[in-house]
Amino acid sequence: MGMSQDGATGMTVKAGIINVTGYAGSELARLLHRHPEVELVSVTGRSAAGKPLSDVFPHLRGLNLTVEPEITKPVDVVFSALPHAASAEAIGPFLKSGVKCVDISADFRLKDQAVYESWYKVTHPFPEYIGEAVYGLTELHRPEIKKARLIANPGCFPTGGVLAMAPAVRDGIIEPWVIVDAKSGISGAGRSADVKYSFSELNDNSSPYGLTGHRHLPEFTQELSAVSSIGRINCTFVPHLVPMTRGILSTCYARLNDGVTQQRVDELFRDFYRDEPFVTVSPSAPATKHTWGSNECHIFPVVNQKTGMLIVISALDNLVKGAAGAGVQNMNVMFGMEETAGLKSVPVYP
Amino acid sequence: MGMSQDGATGMTVKAGIINVTGYAGSELARLLHRHPEVELVSVTGRSAAGKPLSDVFPHLRGLNLTVEPEITKPVDVVFSALPHAASAEAIGPFLKSGVKCVDISADFRLKDQAVYESWYKVTHPFPEYIGEAVYGLTELHRPEIKKARLIANPGCFPTGGVLAMAPAVRDGIIEPWVIVDAKSGISGAGRSADVKYSFSELNDNSSPYGLTGHRHLPEFTQELSAVSSIGRINCTFVPHLVPMTRGILSTCYARLNDGVTQQRVDELFRDFYRDEPFVTVSPSAPATKHTWGSNECHIFPVVNQKTGMLIVISALDNLVKGAAGAGVQNMNVMFGMEETAGLKSVPVYP
Amino acid sequence: MGMSQDGATGMTVKAGIINVTGYAGSELARLLHRHPEVELVSVTGRSAAGKPLSDVFPHLRGLNLTVEPEITKPVDVVFSALPHAASAEAIGPFLKSGVKCVDISADFRLKDQAVYESWYKVTHPFPEYIGEAVYGLTELHRPEIKKARLIANPGCFPTGGVLAMAPAVRDGIIEPWVIVDAKSGISGAGRSADVKYSFSELNDNSSPYGLTGHRHLPEFTQELSAVSSIGRINCTFVPHLVPMTRGILSTCYARLNDGVTQQRVDELFRDFYRDEPFVTVSPSAPATKHTWGSNECHIFPVVNQKTGMLIVISALDNLVKGAAGAGVQNMNVMFGMEETAGLKSVPVYP
Amino acid sequence: MGMSQDGATGMTVKAGIINVTGYAGSELARLLHRHPEVELVSVTGRSAAGKPLSDVFPHLRGLNLTVEPEITKPVDVVFSALPHAASAEAIGPFLKSGVKCVDISADFRLKDQAVYESWYKVTHPFPEYIGEAVYGLTELHRPEIKKARLIANPGCFPTGGVLAMAPAVRDGIIEPWVIVDAKSGISGAGRSADVKYSFSELNDNSSPYGLTGHRHLPEFTQELSAVSSIGRINCTFVPHLVPMTRGILSTCYARLNDGVTQQRVDELFRDFYRDEPFVTVSPSAPATKHTWGSNECHIFPVVNQKTGMLIVISALDNLVKGAAGAGVQNMNVMFGMEETAGLKSVPVYP
């Protein structure tokens, strides 16, 4: 690491992005470019290798970067936005050479290799790193992230659902099962050429998917069970596509223990997130657009006394808090920088 | 009733619409205009009285109707698309004079007057008609509708949720509670001048509402409990606004009894809806756009063996099967016409 | 042709659709299914051959059709919704065997083979049919269409632009040049797997395309020049993608001759379209949604006295009046049926 | 002015926003909050006075501001986002007391008071300030802005159209008339409770407006004529609503002089905007989304040799470069700060 550009902490972290040509990759580029203590030195992409980054993403013209076939310059940290399996393969060599890694893919999220291999239908390329990888939901794993060299950045859906239910699960005020009904913007499907993600098919339309099991489900189970004071959590998760570009709205349901009041729930949630820079317990029902382009997550717990249910809503931007922003937040913690560095921008609304 | 225009049943029903200037009213006009055995003779509206209907709705230019301050011609049936309370007041005189009525508002949906008055915060204007009103979910109340002279057309949300869960509730294959998580197009909020329904606030945005209780909840409870073989059903209902114009996607959750298989559920649902002209048990996950502009409701039940949950999805067009189309379907049944008359059009997709 | 199903004209036309699996093809299926004097007997598609049509388009479940590799039953008329070149090749054999053809592709629209080959970069597969093909803008070529056996269905953009400017060009009230600035819904790009037509790229976004020349330009020139009383018309045409599924809004500009008043223009346009069932000269600025799902075209001419410009707006549904609906309208004329048969539905709004 | 927070120029400008509760006002708050040399000390709003700003705009929670009935603290600069007439009245006292003002309304844009009063149908409240007000299209009036104390911030449409056509007009390579066909996102209509701006009316819909004359027209004429080397420019301007939240795409047409090549046009435009930090001459057709949330304007000139037309496209975010961002840019110039201060963020895409 060289000297700081702005004197804040005396450091400039040199960063690289593997596979900048998807939406998580381009969002990483947007965030790292404006980070006061990071220099984005190299970005890679297969199909666009050799082209200016602005050929693929005109909005990144100001970064003056060229897409390279691989990371060519020395880096302190590398972010991989490759698909699973390919991602583990790509970051293996960096790990070996001591470069810190933030893996946006699912490769190191699941602690149980067999669970990973059964959901993702591949043999894990680098199982030897699963043990030391830290699940990068900063709010739950900050102490481990500080010491980590490999971050498994969480899936966008588990980020919204686990943040919504973690306080209730840890405090044991509910029965040990949750339902997460998630409404996702289409960018969560990635930058892909597929009729089913075309504008004409998705505009003015809503539909569920993954009804027989979505790959993010084991993350819910692992993380909620890990924080739980009431044993393993039985998770039901149904994602839906709704016609917006960014955003995940998660509506979570659980059976509340007798006698738990709205006031107690409010206090519990506010205490849980009191010192968190990016999680806000909202005073009213959240809307995804209020987090657009920012690393914020808005959470709103409601006690339905008539039915005895706890309903918790969370809203976030799937490409920021659900992917690239969380990655930058984790990098900040790993390198001892201010956790909000590069992530202070106000959401863009409307 | 005069002679038939096309000879099918030998009748022409003269119809009027009270408050044609909202979305339910204009959709009724669209459907009744093309109905082979109906003549739409009079439409009313307060703010636009005296103007051509096409001034308010250019797409209805072909109907050549003028908005009137009140129904001026003899009618066999009147549809009221007024807000609650105003609706009951407006149709009272028609009922007294023997005109059949389809009330699109909530005024006669709830059998318990006290429940109505507590949710709607008004004194019921004509409680003497509550008893004879028939809840117009045709699939559940066809025999009574045949003999009815006052139809309480169901709310758009209960239509989707009750159709989704009625087979499981009647057959008693679940525990006696359901969660209905509904995603609604914005036209469900009506044709209203309110910042919160403006394009800039809602586009590319999703949010829940009615978290402390939505007025459609007692309809869920009343209708699911009425069909239930397992006693009163404890309903939790959370509606959401998603950025589309039409459509309701309902994702319903219930705890399945042990040992109930996907095959048994499939058979149950197919049997339940075997002869229904407008309800289809889908072979794959439904999407709201596949019902656009039509009276269809698509239902898809899924057994999640891992969690023991039954998940049932339903999709419909809130202005057709969720309002105007259901009203026309009920009228058809009341007058002994073919149930699908005027409702045979194919959905408009994409 | 067999006997009529409803007695109206004593005929049932047996129809086939080649390439039903795109948006023009599926819209043809929707319209022909409800046509009272047509029986849709066979539909083809390459990738989906052998599958139920409802596998590709769940909204067409009610048609109970299977996608076939080729037209297998005797037909009186065949519609081809194949891409150019492939379309001419596919309909050649039908023409030879005496079946009437409506070609939705561009293959027979341009009277000058060299112009076709230069814009479409192919050798014309059946140039011998160019001469007898009739350009199917019904409003301009009705007499020839009555006698035709091959209809070249117009492009969606020329339909909007030529209908907007034909009255002024024929009457010679403008200088001999026009600018057509068109805003198109995305379904005009077809049902295609391409990142550039994905929801995430196009939602909340607008952009021009074809700036160096769009293939619909020679149609503008050919048709406006043919109707012109002021010689060849110099056409500038710029299409734009705007984030809607259906609809084309064309804003057309021309320099008005001195002294031409709004009143004269209004009279001219009303006279020109007085007896047209599908073209309405609107009393106010049109909006594409007012034509959704219908065969209507709304036209609104405005004289800007300050600048001496004539501005004419037209609005239509690109998949109906801009493609499938125009094809059905042309079929009706060819077979001597009522021109509006199967096309009487009211637009779906909102 | 106090001391700098970051040492860049040694200053902190204290700023106030009058009428923060509209979209221009809230966008000013977003931009000024992150400006390194500005402290946003007071924001006003009538209906929400006394409430936390986050009650109206949850995305601005981080600003910790309360909406006040009027500016209560000493300020160095005041931005007014009030409607016309009300705006001039509100900033008059600030001007008198020596506070620099950026007026987002139209009150001081037009140099000819009679033209203003005829288009806006009001008597100008402070005509004595018209003379010294500087039209804040920074790229054309930077020297005057440096010395100004009252900036008339340009309309969103003239910003796009004038930037697109200024090079050609100044260089005299076209005939002295232009057509500007603009496609606007809905936020340009402001934060208003009106059925015509509701989601259901505007989604999946496009329409023109202002066909008999839009108030931004005299700005086009004034500014293009002022920069012109070919005399007064005859402007035709037609705005359209397209279903997106932000963005203006302007497609501008003019008759090119004989012999002007694409190469010459490219050089002209690149020279004109060579040193401009926020205007980019694009290498390909621009899209509005590529400027989302940023102060950028992308311009793309195309010579159509066949028709002899010059077509120039421009794309910008109507709330940033078209309103609040331009206001901040002007403030930066007025106070001698770096012109890009607070405006360096990368557009949010997709």
Side-chain angles (χ1 to χ4, degrees), chain D residues 55-79:
Chain D
D55 273 16
V56 187
F57 292 116
H59 73 294
L60 298 179
R61 193 170 291 143
L63 278 63
N64 278 322
L65 287 166
T66 298
V67 181
E68 299 180 283
E70 52 189 307
I71 300 284
T72 54
K73 299 195 182 120
V75 291
D76 303 308
V77 63
V78 72
F79 294 80

Side-chain angles (χ1 to χ4, degrees), chain C residues 177 179 181 183 200-201 204-206 208 234-236 240 243-245 251 253 255 286-289 307 309 349, chain D residues 177 179 181 183 201 204-206 208 234-236 240 243-245 251 253 255 286-289 307 309 349-350:
Chain C
W177 58 264
I179 292 169
D181 185 293
K183 297 88 182 160
S200 297
E201 298 286 320
D204 242 332
N205 198 0
S206 290
N234 182 3
C235 298
T236 299
H240 303 74
M244 56 189 192
T245 304
T251 311
Y253 303 87
R255 173 87 58 196
T288 53
K289 195 79 188 271
T307 61
M309 300 293 288
Y349 181 91
Chain D
W177 58 265
I179 292 169
D181 185 293
K183 297 88 182 159
E201 299 286 320
D204 243 332
N205 197 1
S206 291
N234 182 3
C235 298
T236 299
H240 302 75
M244 55 188 192
T245 303
T251 311
Y253 302 87
R255 174 88 59 198
T288 53
K289 195 78 187 273
T307 61
M309 299 293 287
Y349 180 92

Side-chain angles (χ1 to χ4, degrees), chain A residues 80-95:
Chain A
S80 170
L82 283 167
H84 65 91
S87 190
E89 282 183 38
I91 64 181
F94 289 95
L95 284 171

Side-chain angles (χ1 to χ4, degrees), chain D residues 100-127:
Chain D
K100 292 185 177 178
C101 292
V102 177
D103 183 9
I104 305 294
S105 91
D107 281 341
F108 297 101
R109 292 178 194 159
L110 300 174
K111 289 301 166 192
D112 184 329
Q113 183 182 347
V115 170
Y116 170 85
E117 295 185 346
S118 110
W119 279 94
Y120 288 89
K121 316 289 184 203
V122 290
T123 303
H124 199 292
F126 281 98

Side-chain angles (χ1 to χ4, degrees), chain A residues 37-50:
Chain A
E37 295 165 82
V38 169
E39 185 187 359
L40 180 57
V41 296
S42 187
V43 298
T44 82
R46 284 164 297 189
S47 58

Side-chain angles (χ1 to χ4, degrees), chain C residues 57 94 181 223 226 251 257 264 267 278 312 319 337:
Chain C
F57 292 116
F94 289 94
D181 185 293
E223 293 300 312
T251 311
N257 295 342
R264 172 157 171 214
E267 285 167 6
F278 295 116
V312 187
L319 294 180
M337 297 186 280

Side-chain angles (χ1 to χ4, degrees), chain A residues 63-74:
Chain A
L63 278 64
N64 279 321
L65 287 167
T66 298
V67 180
E68 299 180 282
E70 52 188 308
I71 300 285
T72 54
K73 297 192 183 122

